[in-house]
């Protein structure tokens, strides 16, 4: 889990934005790092970078992302169905971030998804950063904070805040790491509100978490995670949304190792440093499948700690015969910086010869954990037919 500086929003942080961001930044004939139209000299489909300083729509096609692309508020970057953004293998210098008050409109279709991937000849996890959304929804303790990477504000008091639409979106080879404390993910939602629509998302081969929530209230439907090196699903700092119909898998050939990978890693407040804060994480998860086919283990299948609650139901955990190493814990609701909250409820079926179905740690607050041997429940994989993934 991560450390982020908690700050009040100060206007000086966005000096370049000015007092009135409703008008595009001007000087369209001069390259100034701000893209205001597709005719702007700063726009280059083979060298996409800089600031989106107007409402911009990219037609379907391929674009090469070579550095950070920042969508400035109050503008919207629209990516047509079938758009592919190929990120140069520049690690932490290459990413897409949407500021508070800005929007990403990435509405792919089953036949023509919007894709973010690496431009490397031989792509690898961590080739580039990832996709980041910053919203104005509440975080634990209230107020605002600054993102772990690339220093943008998030948080506020608008649970219904809208950061755009992501539908039929694929993210590959993301998760570049700055150091052991600061990493990009596939999709990172910082204080993202439930006015945002996130559905039909597929995240493959990331070098850190597939998806992480720092507070916020956004709901996610139909999430596919394949071969995340660290956590499949991660939340912290007061996340209260829902995740419905999610399938997360490590494949049989997957051998990458990180220090403490988990199916779910859940913190109530940031790093457990603020256990008395109001607004701790407490999301609802339903229709989740976690599968390990790999010969390397997850530290915990489900880890809920540091004041987080959760209501997890209709879930299936599968440990195949090729997964020769058992997890450290099946469900662990304990931590030196605080256990899961008392209202936590985890119910699932589990299948796997080496799984210990009694390896359950409810913690001092006696979280409700119910595990049954069986293969029913979990995600409806038919929802992921558009990805072509072979289950």
């Amino acid at each position: 889990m991560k450390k982020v500086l908690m700050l009040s929003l100060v206007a000086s942080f966005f000096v370049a934005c000015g007092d009135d961001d409703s008008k595009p930044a001007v000087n369209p004939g001069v390259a100034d790092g701000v893209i205001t139209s597709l005719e702007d000299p700063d726009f280059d489909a083979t060298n996409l970078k800089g600031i989106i300083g107007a409402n911009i729509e990219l037609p379907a096609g391929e674009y090469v992302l070579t550095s950070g692309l920042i969508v400035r508020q109050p503008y919207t970057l629209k990516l047509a169905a079938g758009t592919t953004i190929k990120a140069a293998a520049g690690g932490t210098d290459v990413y897409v971030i949407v500021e508070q008050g800005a929007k990403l409109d990435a509405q792919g279709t089953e036949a023509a998804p919007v894709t973010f991937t690496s431009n490397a000849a031989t792509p690898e996890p961590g080739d580039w950063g990832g996709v980041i959304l910053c919203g104005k929804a509440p975080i634990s303790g209230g107020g605002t904070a600054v993102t772990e990477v690339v220093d943008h504000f998030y948080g506020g008091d608008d649970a219904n805040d809208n950061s755009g639409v992501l539908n039929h979106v694929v993210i590959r080879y993301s998760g570049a790491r700055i150091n052991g404390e600061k990493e990009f993910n596939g999709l990172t939602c910082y204080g993202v509100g439930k006015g945002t629509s996130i559905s039909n998302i597929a995240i493959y081969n990331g070098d850190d978490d597939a998806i992480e929530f720092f507070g916020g209230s956004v709901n996610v439907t139909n999430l596919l995670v394949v071969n995340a090196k660290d956590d499949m699903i991660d939340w912290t700092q007061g996340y209260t949304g829902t995740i419905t119909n999610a399938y997360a898998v490590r494949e049989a050939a997957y051998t990458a190792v990180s220090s403490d990978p988990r199916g779910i890693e859940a913190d109530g407040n940031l790093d457990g440093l603020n256990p008395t804060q109001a607004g701790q994480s407490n999301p609802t998860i339903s229709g989740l499948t976690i599968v390990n086919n790999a010969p390397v283990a997850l530290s915990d299948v489900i880890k809920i700690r540091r004041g987080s609650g959760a209501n997890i139901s209709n879930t299936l955990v599968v440990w195949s015969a090729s997964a020769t190493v058992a997890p450290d814990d099946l469900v662990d609701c304990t931590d030196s910086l605080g256990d899961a909250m008392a209202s936590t409820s985890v119910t699932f079926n589990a299948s796997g010869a080496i799984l210990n179905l009694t390896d359950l740690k409810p913690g001092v607050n006696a979280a409700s954990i119910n595990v049954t041997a069986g293969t029913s429940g979990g995600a409806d994989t038919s929802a992921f037919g558009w990805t072509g993934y072979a289950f």
Side-chain angles (χ1 to χ4, degrees):
M1 203 58 69
K2 289 79 180 192
K3 294 181 173 62
V4 193
L5 178 63
M6 299 294 293
L7 294 172
S8 296
L9 183 59
V10 290
S12 60
F13 185 87
F14 291 115
V15 170
C17 295
D19 294 328
D20 182 6
D21 287 322
S22 62
K23 297 178 181 179
V26 289
N27 237 345
V30 177
D32 57 4
V34 181
I35 302 170
T36 58
S37 73
L38 299 187
E39 289 73 43
D40 192 300
D42 287 288
F43 174 73
D44 182 346
T46 64
N47 186 21
L48 185 61
K49 62 182 180 179
I51 294 169
I52 299 297
N55 293 325
I56 298 292
E57 179 174 356
L58 298 186
E62 289 191 357
Y63 303 84
V64 179
L65 181 70
T66 57
S67 188
L69 185 66
I70 303 164
V71 186
R72 176 162 289 170
Q73 67 90 20
Y75 304 118
T76 297
L77 173 62
K78 183 174 183 178
L79 306 178
T83 297
T84 297
I85 306 291
K86 291 188 172 182
T92 58
D93 293 329
V94 185
Y95 54 86
V96 175
I97 187 165
V98 179
E99 289 185 347
Q100 286 185 311
K103 294 181 176 67
L104 177 62
D105 184 353
Q107 298 189 56
T109 66
E110 291 190 3
V114 171
T115 301
F116 298 86
T117 189
S118 170
N119 196 39
T122 305
E124 298 285 346
D127 272 352
W128 66 291
V131 178
I132 302 170
L133 305 179
C134 299
K136 299 178 182 179
I139 59 178
S140 60
T144 59
V146 173
T147 57
E148 175 183 308
V149 293
V150 301
D151 294 342
H152 285 257
F153 285 108
Y154 67 98
D157 59 7
D158 184 2
N160 295 310
D161 189 44
N162 182 358
S163 295
V165 179
L166 280 71
N167 186 24
H168 291 105
V169 172
V170 178
I171 302 172
R172 298 179 184 270
Y173 304 111
S174 58
R177 297 170 181 252
I178 296 172
N179 55 44
E181 297 280 334
K182 297 182 178 183
E183 310 93 358
F184 287 84
N185 305 295
L187 176 61
T188 310
C189 297
Y190 284 100
V192 176
K194 59 186 176 182
T196 310
S197 177
I198 301 180
S199 57
N200 301 305
I201 307 296
I203 305 173
Y204 300 84
N205 300 108
D207 199 46
D208 197 63
D209 304 335
I211 187 168
E212 182 165 8
F213 304 88
F214 288 81
S217 51
V218 66
N219 302 323
V220 176
T221 304
N222 297 339
L223 170 68
L224 173 64
V225 173
V226 179
N227 292 341
K229 187 175 181 180
D230 197 27
D231 307 320
M232 296 168 168
I233 299 171
D234 191 341
W235 67 73
T236 186
Q237 208 174 5
Y239 175 57
T240 58
T242 65
I243 301 173
T244 305
N245 204 57
Y247 188 99
V249 59
R250 281 185 159 190
E251 297 174 320
Y254 192 75
T255 58
V257 175
S258 63
S259 60
D260 54 1
R262 296 177 169 116
I264 290 177
E265 181 176 283
D267 285 16
N269 59 91
L270 193 64
D271 293 320
L273 301 178
N274 299 282
T276 63
Q277 280 184 339
Q280 305 271 320
S281 302
N282 195 15
T284 298
I285 317 298
S286 179
L288 168 66
T289 298
I290 297 173
V291 178
N292 188 30
N293 295 324
V296 290
L298 296 170
S299 294
D300 309 285
V301 179
I302 297 175
K303 177 80 167 181
I304 306 172
R305 62 184 183 180
R306 301 176 180 177
S308 181
N311 186 339
I312 300 174
S313 63
N314 186 25
T315 291
L316 175 64
V317 173
V318 178
W319 226 254
S320 75
S322 60
T324 54
V325 183
D328 293 343
D329 294 296
L330 189 58
V331 181
D332 184 1
C333 293
T334 69
D335 188 78
S336 62
L337 293 176
D339 293 359
M341 68 171 63
S343 62
T344 300
S345 175
V346 181
T347 302
F348 63 90
N349 292 332
S351 172
I354 64 173
L355 286 182
N356 178 2
L357 302 192
T358 65
D359 181 15
L360 312 173
K361 297 178 179 177
V364 297
N365 295 318
S368 174
I369 307 173
N370 298 284
V371 180
T372 303
T375 58
S376 62
D380 174 7
T381 58
S382 68
F384 307 110
W386 65 275
T387 68
Y389 187 76
F391 294 92

